[in-house]
Amino acid sequence: MTDERMDRMIGVLLRAGVLIAAGTTLAGGIWHYVQHGAAVPNFSVFHGEPAELRNLGGVFSGIAAGRSEDLIQLGLLMLIATPIARVALSVFAFAAERDRTYVVITLIVLAVLLASLSGFHL
Amino acid sequence: MHSYEFTLLLFPVALAAGFLGSLTGLGGGVVLTPVLTLLFGVDLRYAIGATLVSVIATSSGAASAYVREGYSNVRIGMFLEVATTAGAILGASLATHISTSVLAVIFGAVLLHSAWLSSHKPPQDAMSDRKDPLAQRLRLDGTYPGPKGEIHYRVQNVRTGFGVMLGAGMLSGLLGIGSGALKVIAMDRAMRIPFKVSTTTSNFMIGVTAAASAGVYLNRGYIDPLLAMPVMLGVLAGSLAGARVLTRASSRMLRIVFAVAVAFLAIQMIVAGFRGTV
């Protein structure tokens, strides 16, 4: 695989990821409007989101239970996943180029991202 | 503000911030946090969460175009992302232990610096032919399309650049911003990468850096769907529109006016931080 082809694939992935994530978020927003109107809670005091909105499993069960906030959150999770998918794709692309140094570098970045997403912090 | 006007107002404000942010190169996200906290009275932590999500959206949206045009350097970006993502986790973890007043003061100072930078002309490319052995080993040197064919560049001071990127990542995680300005400084000043390559590669890296911080913020409950939705959609639509007119109108006057507005917000942020009203 050439660098140009890899660049093109990354470009397509990023665009598709953003479009799908934005579409899902918008759909969730419209659904929320239908359910509750335009009234939103107060954001001037920080409570922290409920545990359900902090992980993928909780979001899916929330959608199944008919909560529109969870569909919005799914869109936001997809958005966060887009650059991560880009890094994962780069691992394969560098492997196809037999560029071992960059396979290792990219795997390190991927590991840091996945650690962060799974709740790791210092 | 438990009302109706909230979402309805938030979207156009985010749209304008995204549009002006992409026109002036300052980024839409960085303006939104002070607007949300100072004008809408949103808690700084929620504002940071919503802004961070918008930063990912605009970075990924814009990067898809730059990558295809052949300006951004994927190897430089990936190598430096080791530093920015590690820094981002560190910064985001730190943010959860720092009071919002202190965060507001740091935010204001960083914003003031970006406003000052954006009102100045980009520096001339000072390319050098010196070979950095580390850059050679990592195959960081590259080419980019110039007016008269491909222009070759050699990357310098890789270690310094990596160190500054660690700081840029930390700032990004701490404040929920892209910290594009600091990334460009690391590449353009320290590593002597041409300005056009630095800015596009920085944009390319911002999404990955922000995703690293977003993980921490998500797990801490900073990302609220009902706030992030209008903010993210507005900034994304605004910045895409801004990128379309960018090639035609790149007015210096606009940059200065926007920089002054941002500086004003930055000072307000610092004052609010010292007063403890944030």
Side-chain angles (χ1 to χ4, degrees), chain B residues 8-252:
Chain B
L8 294 182
L9 265 176
L10 216 47
F11 183 77
V13 166
L15 195 73
F19 185 75
L20 290 171
S22 95
L23 264 190
T24 54
L26 203 58
V30 77
V31 200
L32 264 170
T33 301
V35 168
L36 286 175
T37 50
L38 299 171
L39 264 59
F40 288 86
V42 173
D43 183 276
L44 185 62
R45 283 160 285 200
Y46 282 135
I48 285 177
T51 303
L52 196 61
V53 171
S54 324
V55 165
I56 299 178
T58 50
S59 160
S60 302
S64 69
Y66 291 135
V67 172
R68 277 180 296 123
E69 285 162 14
Y71 286 112
S72 60
N73 184 320
V74 175
R75 281 197 169 76
I76 294 177
M78 194 58 75
F79 172 65
L80 294 175
E81 273 162 8
V82 174
T84 60
T85 50
I89 292 198
L90 196 70
S93 306
L94 208 62
T96 55
H97 299 293
I98 296 180
S99 83
T100 50
S101 301
V102 175
L103 276 183
V105 173
I106 301 173
F107 198 105
V110 170
L111 199 54
L112 212 51
H113 179 243
S114 319
W116 184 76
L117 278 182
S118 80
S119 61
H120 287 66
K121 273 204 184 108
Q124 288 290 310
D125 290 336
M127 284 200 271
S128 160
D129 241 6
R130 202 168 57 84
K131 288 181 186 169
D132 182 323
L134 196 54
Q136 300 277 299
R137 191 137 37 97
L138 292 166
R139 295 170 59 202
L140 297 180
D141 297 347
T143 57
Y144 71 100
K148 285 170 275 177
E150 298 278 289
I151 299 173
H152 188 83
Y153 55 90
R154 286 194 196 284
V155 177
Q156 316 285 331
N157 311 320
V158 175
R159 279 191 189 82
T160 315
F162 194 85
V164 179
M165 282 296 177
L166 205 62
M170 232 180 105
L171 221 49
S172 165
L174 190 66
L175 306 173
I177 58 176
S179 79
L182 193 54
K183 287 192 176 79
V184 171
I185 289 177
M187 285 191 274
D188 169 82
R189 308 266 169 91
M191 300 173 78
R192 301 292 178 85
I193 299 167
F195 190 71
K196 185 86 190 169
V197 179
S198 297
T199 47
T200 50
T201 306
S202 150
N203 205 313
F204 184 70
M205 294 169 61
I206 284 171
V208 174
T209 312
S213 335
V216 177
Y217 284 124
L218 183 75
N219 285 296
R220 292 293 180 92
Y222 281 40
I223 298 177
D224 184 276
L226 295 180
L227 179 68
M229 185 253 305
V231 170
M232 184 273 281
L233 292 175
V235 173
L236 181 63
S239 70
L240 289 178
R244 275 180 186 254
V245 292
L246 183 63
T247 39
R248 273 177 283 153
S250 152
S251 144
R252 185 159 159 66

Side-chain angles (χ1 to χ4, degrees), chain A:
Chain A
M1 183 178 326
T2 60
D3 275 15
E4 288 75 36
R5 191 155 160 243
M6 176 167 146
D7 288 353
R8 254 203 315 280
M9 277 171 61
I10 290 174
V12 169
L13 175 84
L14 288 174
R15 181 173 305 194
V18 170
L19 281 178
I20 295 169
T24 307
T25 307
L26 183 64
I30 293 168
W31 186 19
H32 190 267
Y33 182 81
V34 171
Q35 277 186 336
H36 305 282
V40 289
N42 194 330
F43 296 114
S44 59
V45 183
F46 182 75
H47 306 291
E49 297 307 306
E52 167 200 311
L53 287 172
R54 299 185 190 196
N55 64 73
L56 200 58
V59 165
F60 275 122
S61 51
I63 296 169
R67 279 192 292 273
S68 50
E69 295 97 305
D70 291 77
L71 186 60
I72 299 175
Q73 200 76 336
L74 179 66
L76 302 179
L77 287 177
M78 286 170 161
L79 195 61
I80 297 171
T82 298
I84 301 177
R86 190 272 269 184
V87 173
L89 179 70
S90 301
V91 175
F92 290 106
F94 284 126
E97 285 184 28
R98 301 188 189 288
D99 191 335
R100 216 176 290 168
T101 315
Y102 274 87
V103 170
V104 173
I105 288 173
T106 312
L107 279 174
I108 295 172
V109 175
L110 189 63
V112 173
L113 288 170
L114 293 176
S116 157
L117 205 60
S118 58
F120 174 83
H121 57 84
L122 299 164

